[in-house]
Amino acid sequence: MPYIRGMKKSTHTLFLEVVEENSIDLNSPYKLERLLCICKILDKLDFSEYNKVRAKRKVRVIEKFVNMMFDEQSKKLSK
């Protein structure tokens, strides 16, 4: 489904798309995989709709979400 201006995807949906498109390994112990995932999600966002404060907040939310997803996956493996 193409992106329509004003229609926003959730962070989780963007995360799943990026993981699938770029074959990102959620089990990877390397921080580079996390950084790649964050960068690809940020590339998909249109920041023209955000003011400076909201844009910074959105970036922090995405960073926390990606780290949480990777940590959650690593906890599943350790059990």
Side-chain angles (χ1 to χ4, degrees), residues 11 14-16 25 33 57 59-60 71 73 76 79:
T11 305
L14 290 170
F15 174 78
L16 294 176
D25 180 19
E33 293 281 336
R57 187 179 313 133
V59 170
R60 282 196 310 267
D71 292 343
Q73 187 67 24
K76 286 180 182 177
K79 288 183 179 180

Side-chain angles (χ1 to χ4, degrees), residues 11-43:
T11 305
H12 188 261
T13 304
L14 290 170
F15 174 78
L16 294 176
E17 285 178 5
V18 165
V19 167
E20 184 178 317
E21 290 170 2
N22 299 291
S23 303
I24 295 176
D25 180 19
L26 295 178
N27 303 324
S28 175
Y30 304 111
K31 298 285 184 185
L32 195 57
E33 293 281 336
R34 294 177 187 216
L35 185 61
L36 174 67
C37 190
I38 291 168
C39 289
K40 294 292 183 177
I41 291 172
L42 293 177
D43 286 343

Side-chain angles (χ1 to χ4, degrees), residues 36-53:
L36 174 67
C37 190
I38 291 168
C39 289
K40 294 292 183 177
I41 291 172
L42 293 177
D43 286 343
K44 288 180 170 261
L45 293 176
D46 179 19
F47 281 102
S48 65
E49 299 176 7
Y50 297 98
N51 64 32
K52 190 176 181 179
V53 174

Side-chain angles (χ1 to χ4, degrees), residues 53-66:
V53 174
R54 284 190 66 214
K56 286 181 181 179
R57 187 179 313 133
K58 185 71 173 178
V59 170
R60 282 196 310 267
V61 166
I62 289 171
E63 288 172 346
K64 287 181 182 179
F65 180 79
V66 168

